[in-house]
């Protein structure tokens, strides 16, 4: 099939590449000319494990193309995916200007039947808005489909190639058949393509992300309580996770959820519920708890240093909002940097992939280190903000040699408590006993 994908970010580039991988002819469009030029030359604009192999293969074999020319890209395409940003607008609700703006541009160009697919995360009713844009601007028949994306950055290729489910919201038989044909190669193992109406599909995405954010937040609250009552959150996690109704995944406490999706999607669902006079109380609590959780580790440090962080040198391991990505949008590490530098501490960070993005954002407000252990040199403490596999089994001897003081504040519970006792570290993690040096 001939496909156009509008927007080549984390979702658009993965979608376009993975659709080309099954033999489709895909043209990806972006408005950033420099980015398009790079991609044409085989340079990926993002870090996503495993994507480069598919990306290069499909470019070489001529099935994956890049352009800034929307008209050329959509001319022969049967299906057009909108993988555009939907950031929070000034009122906190999803800003639909990218999606509706592109819809208008496409409506002014189409001259034959197309399926317009919203891959972006959009509030209930957006498919109707997109349909209205087309009926106001063209007489050409189009079908508008909601097809939310559930991929996770870091494992996006696997998620796209072998999805747990594909959700397709459409009221058109013709669009349903085309979408079914397109996705058939990805669900061969039997996972479902779930067809539904557009509104249910749009809400499914927000409900999924909000549920996951709630699950994380619940565990963060359990962890906070563990600290007060002297329980160990790791034990509680195992104890509840082995109940099949609860499940083992997404039960790890930490320093709050971040990223480009959970914070904005929880907020957008809470606010869009208000439009229907529904007070989605649990989501308000989730947002409130997450705000405090993001800086909880700094509170712990403040207590340890008796409100005197000024002049302390702090090594920070991890900047990305989660491992295996260079994405720093709403990363808890950014809030930690803010709080620490405000308190007068000097921060030296290391992250395997996200340092260039943070450098662009914060400039020389903090230092950056070429490797994890150099960041520790003469530091008063190490703070861990992202659970990169690299940090899980470190060279403890080198840590001890480089650090000025054997002090670790671990926002991701990477280390065994007994090990920390044996090594004589001060070790403060989330929801577990503090190990005194
Ligand atoms: P992104 O910011 O990484 O990428 C968006 C891309 O669109 C950018 O390359 C930008 O230059 C381009 N763009 C903007 N306006 C354009 C236009 N008019 N024409 C062509 N290109 C244009 O965003 P993302 O992370 O890929 O997210 C896209 C959507 O998918 C959002 O709604 C998001 O909520 C949703 N989503 C994201 C993820 C994720 O993990 N990132 C997962 C599921 C769903």
């Amino acid at each position: 099939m001939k496909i156009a994908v509008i927007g080549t970010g984390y979702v658009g580039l993965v979608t376009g590449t993975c659709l080309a991988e099954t033999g489709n002819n895909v043209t990806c469009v972006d408005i950033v000319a420099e980015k398009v030029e790079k991609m044409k030359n085989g340079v990926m604009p993002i870090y996503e494990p495993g994507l480069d192999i598919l990306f290069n293969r499909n470019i070489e074999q001529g099935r994956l193309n890049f352009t800034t020319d929307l008209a050329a890209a959509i001319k022969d395409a049967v299906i057009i995916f909108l993988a555009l940003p939907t950031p929070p607008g000034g009122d906190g609700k999803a800003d639909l200007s990218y999606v509706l703006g592109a819809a208008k541009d496409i409506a002014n160009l189409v001259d034959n039947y197309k399926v317009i697919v919203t891959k972006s995360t959009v509030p209930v009713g957006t498919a109707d808005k997109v349909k209205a844009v087309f009926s106001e601007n063209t007489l050409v028949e189009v079908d508008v489909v909601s097809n939310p994306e559930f991929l996770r950055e870091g494992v996006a290729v696997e998620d796209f190639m072998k999805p747990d489910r594909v959700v397709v919201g459409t009221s058109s038989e013709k669009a349903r058949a085309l979408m079914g044909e397109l996705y058939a190669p990805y669900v061969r193992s039997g996972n479902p393509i779930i067809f539904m109406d557009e509104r249910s599909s749009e809400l499914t995405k927000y409900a999924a992300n909000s549920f996951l954010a709630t699950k994380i937040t619940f565990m963060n609250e359990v962890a906070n309580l563990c600290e007060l009552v002297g329980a160990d959150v790791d034990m509680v996690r195992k104890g509840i996770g082995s109940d099949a109704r609860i499940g083992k995944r997404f039960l790890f406490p930490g320093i709050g959820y971040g990223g480009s999706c959970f914070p904005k999607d929880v907020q957008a669902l809470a606010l869009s519920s208000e439009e229907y006079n529904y007070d989605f109380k649990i989501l308000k609590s989730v947002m409130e708890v997450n705000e405090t959780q993001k800086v909880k580790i700094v509170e712990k440090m403040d207590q340890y240093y008796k409100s005197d962080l000024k002049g302390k040198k702090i090594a920070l391991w991890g900047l990305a909002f989660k491992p295996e990505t260079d994405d720093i949008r709403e990363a808890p590490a950014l809030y930690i940097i803010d709080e620490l530098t405000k308190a007068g501490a000097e921060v030296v960070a290391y992250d395997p992939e996200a340092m260039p993005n943070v450098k662009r954002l914060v400039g020389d407000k903090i230092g950056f280190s070429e490797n994890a252990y150099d960041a520790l040199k003469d530091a008063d403490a190490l703070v861990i903000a992202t659970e990169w596999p690299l940090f899980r089994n470190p060279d403890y001897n080198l840590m001890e040699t480089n650090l000025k003081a054997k002090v670790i504040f671990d926002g991701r519970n990477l280390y065994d408590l007994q090990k920390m006792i044996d090594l004589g570290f001060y070790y403060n993690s989330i929801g577990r006993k503090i190990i005194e040096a």
Side-chain angles (χ1 to χ4, degrees), residues 22-187:
T22 55
N24 297 294
N25 207 307
V26 182
T27 305
C28 296
V29 184
D30 209 286
I31 39 166
V32 182
E34 190 192 346
K35 192 172 173 180
V36 169
E37 213 41 51
K38 273 190 182 165
M39 291 188 288
K40 276 183 175 172
N41 293 318
V43 179
M44 288 217 321
I46 53 165
Y47 172 73
E48 182 58 48
L51 186 61
D52 50 345
I53 299 167
L54 276 62
F55 175 81
N56 288 314
R57 176 161 60 218
N58 285 285
I59 292 174
E60 274 163 30
Q61 295 178 1
R63 286 188 303 271
L64 182 60
N65 299 288
F66 300 94
T67 182
T68 51
D69 184 347
L70 181 65
I74 65 164
K75 193 173 182 320
D76 299 322
V78 186
I79 303 180
I80 303 172
F81 282 90
L82 306 181
L84 295 159
T86 48
D91 56 1
K93 294 178 192 160
D95 173 1
L96 287 178
S97 61
Y98 295 88
V99 169
L100 298 179
K104 190 171 177 190
D105 293 343
I106 296 166
N108 287 320
L109 292 166
V110 283
D111 55 8
N112 57 10
Y113 174 78
K114 310 277 180 204
V115 179
I116 311 294
V117 183
T118 312
K119 256 254 168 273
S120 304
T121 302
V122 293
V124 172
T126 302
D128 292 335
K129 288 185 179 159
V130 175
K131 281 179 200 173
V133 168
F134 276 90
S135 53
E136 281 159 20
N137 291 283
T138 179
L139 293 171
V140 173
E141 184 204 354
V142 298
D143 279 318
V144 175
V145 170
S146 158
N147 170 222
E149 183 49 59
F150 296 95
L151 64 77
R152 296 161 297 166
E153 287 173 21
V155 279
V157 172
E158 196 187 325
D159 282 349
F160 197 97
M161 298 304 288
K162 294 178 187 166
D164 288 342
R165 79 313 206 176
V166 175
V167 169
V168 176
T170 177
S171 42
S172 150
E173 278 307 316
K174 198 166 162 186
R176 179 189 167 124
L178 282 165
M179 294 299 284
E181 191 184 329
L182 182 69
Y183 275 115
Y186 304 88
V187 291

Side-chain angles (χ1 to χ4, degrees), residues 280-326:
F280 211 141
K281 293 191 191 72
I282 196 169
L283 296 186
K284 290 182 179 162
S285 301
V286 166
M287 289 188 281
E288 201 180 308
V289 172
N290 201 55
E291 278 311 297
T292 51
Q293 197 71 16
K294 281 191 294 203
V295 289
K296 201 163 171 40
I297 200 110
V298 182
E299 268 170 38
K300 285 169 179 257
M301 296 173 76
D302 203 50
Q303 263 175 18
Y304 179 81
Y305 291 113
K306 303 194 171 50
S307 298
D308 189 16
L309 273 156
K310 200 167 168 30
K312 296 280 180 299
K313 184 175 172 191
I314 308 296
L316 176 61
W317 276 6
L319 294 167
F321 85 94
K322 67 173 186 178
E324 305 298 346
T325 183
D326 59 353

